[in-house]
Amino acid sequence: MTLPDVPVGTRVVVRYRIEGGFTDALGYLRSRDDAECTVETKRGLATIRLADIVLAKTVTPPPVRRSAS
């Protein structure tokens, strides 16, 4: 699967190159164009150059938290 095939709004994990190695962004794909994509993570928006992506895949929605009753 390539990221251009994933609909905006889908929950994804994206592994991409950074200086000194790799990192992951887990969240919802919010936008994508020919050069970059934006993933909304728990820490905020991550804008990632498509050229830096080494792996991208869809993931299941997060589990529903149960209240402590």
Side-chain angles (χ1 to χ4, degrees):
M1 170 198 319
T2 60
L3 200 56
D5 299 332
V6 178
V8 170
T10 302
R11 190 165 185 246
V12 295
V13 61
V14 178
R15 175 157 292 184
Y16 59 101
R17 292 179 190 89
I18 58 170
E19 188 175 324
F22 300 93
T23 192
D24 297 325
L26 171 64
Y28 294 93
L29 181 63
R30 292 302 181 205
S31 67
R32 176 188 56 241
D33 61 25
D34 291 337
E36 62 188 23
C37 69
T38 302
V39 177
E40 183 179 1
T41 70
K42 286 185 178 183
R43 292 181 283 173
L45 296 175
T47 301
I48 306 162
R49 292 181 341 132
L50 297 182
D52 292 336
I53 296 174
V54 294
L55 174 73
K57 66 179 186 175
T58 60
V59 293
T60 59
V64 177
R65 293 186 141 196
R66 297 180 183 187
S67 62
S69 41

